[in-house]
Amino acid sequence: MNFELTKEQEMTRKMVRDFADGVIRPRAVDIDQKAEFPEDIFKEMGQLGLLGIPFPENYGGAGADTLTYALAVEEIGKACGSTGLSYAAAVSLGASPIYYFGTEEQKQRFLVPLAKGEGLGSFGLTEPNAGSDAGGTKTTAELQGDHYVINGEKCWITNAEYARSITVTAVSGKRSDGKNIISAFIIPKDTPGMKITSPYEKMGVRGSNTSEIILEDVHVPKENVLGELNGGFKQFLYTLDGGRISIGALAVGIAQAALDKSLAYAKERKQFGQPISNFQAIQFKLADMAMEVELARNMVLKAAWLKDHNKNFSKEAAYAKLFASETAFRASNEAIQIHGGYGYMREYEVERYLRDAKLLEIGEGTSEIQRLVIARQLGC
């Protein structure tokens, strides 16, 4: 077992860390307070090649692996949870399904611009009545001539307002056993009949765009069906497995930020004539935080390694997402406790980590769904 990163992975991590520290971190507070999507930052990230890290060079990407991408997500998430979430969603949910399942023509038309950073991708799965029960999709796609006509509603969709293209799931027919056939369709942003709004006032990750999509008689050509017509359900399950690795990496970034802030504060803050880092109660908190962050990181990187080596990674991705997201919440909560009254104040930032971390226990499969996935992988 070799836990050392390659020179290329180390170089990419350093490059992303320098960019995150120099460009993203100074604006993290402002992004959260104003709840504004940092479009200019994403343009810079595109120019640096960050949006194409895990895609081959012939599709406009950097030709790196999932592990390298996970390291990048962690560094961005450590600087700003909002930016980290939109970055992870753009790559894992927006662009990756097109790479995994798209035709060559679809990859050239839709993936290449996303990998080059010329726009963002988005993935429309969740509906008002289809969250954890993604199979309960109500959006419909009816074949009329050489087009599908799509009607329905999607909610809580990351990046949709700023996306170049959106992949949405819809019921396209019935199987022989009477169950719905769910298909995926790539819809360019300017397609008539697709209305995108961002009406949500969120607790955390406030600078990450979250949208509602209304689809009214949206005409999509047959060549925009992603992969096999009856393969949409399996496609988004695989897509979510990969996305869980990136959400785990984002959680590790937030947890690491909470640990870093807490350690620095504990060394500076004095009570009873000495730094509070001298007190065993604080030392135990810091030790537990450091241990859990490292365990979460190893779990994320193992899942990424399995994926890169074409091994089954569903269980490990669920492990990573579940443990890392809960670690991020615990670490952020302890960071507030270590900071005391200051931790409750916005200027010290640790309260933002807690607000951002909470979403990671909900999005891309709740903690309860992760436990179900793990149980089923165990044969339950």
Side-chain angles (χ1 to χ4, degrees), residues 285-301:
K285 289 182 185 295
L286 292 168
D288 284 344
M289 290 166 70
M291 174 182 66
E292 291 194 11
V293 169
E294 185 65 14
L295 289 171
R297 179 179 292 113
N298 283 338
M299 213 169 285
V300 168
L301 297 184

Side-chain angles (χ1 to χ4, degrees), residues 87-245:
Y87 172 61
V91 179
S92 293
L93 301 183
S96 289
I98 303 173
Y99 173 61
Y100 297 148
F101 309 111
T103 63
E104 186 60 31
E105 191 276 332
Q106 288 172 345
K107 290 176 183 178
Q108 293 298 332
R109 181 182 173 192
F110 297 108
L111 175 61
V112 169
L114 300 182
K116 286 183 175 180
E118 296 171 0
L120 297 179
S122 184
F123 187 63
L125 173 64
T126 304
E127 298 182 2
N129 294 304
S132 294
D133 179 19
T137 297
K138 300 298 182 185
T139 299
T140 60
E142 181 182 349
L143 182 61
Q144 296 182 6
D146 60 353
H147 281 70
Y148 280 90
V149 180
I150 302 177
N151 285 280
E153 180 181 355
K154 301 290 181 178
C155 61
W156 308 324
I157 308 304
T158 306
N159 296 340
E161 189 177 342
Y162 296 88
R164 183 187 180 104
S165 62
I166 302 171
T167 302
V168 303
T169 54
V171 176
S172 60
K174 293 282 187 181
R175 297 188 334 199
S176 58
D177 60 4
K179 293 185 178 180
N180 289 333
I181 295 173
I182 297 180
S183 306
F185 302 84
I186 306 172
I187 308 179
K189 177 68 176 295
D190 56 358
T191 302
M194 183 166 65
K195 181 183 178 183
I196 301 172
T197 58
S198 302
Y200 307 114
E201 182 69 26
K202 296 180 297 183
M203 168 184 168
V205 289
R206 289 164 47 78
S208 174
N209 175 249
T210 307
S211 297
E212 177 184 71
I213 304 173
I214 304 297
L215 303 142
E216 295 182 346
D217 292 333
V218 176
H219 286 67
V220 178
K222 285 196 296 186
E223 55 265 29
N224 282 27
V225 174
L226 182 62
E228 297 179 6
L229 184 65
N230 62 353
F233 195 80
K234 289 183 178 179
Q235 289 171 18
F236 72 66
L237 288 180
Y238 184 83
T239 298
L240 290 177
D241 279 345
R244 285 164 186 160
I245 295 174

Side-chain angles (χ1 to χ4, degrees), residues 1 85 284 318:
M1 297 170 67
L85 178 65
F284 281 7

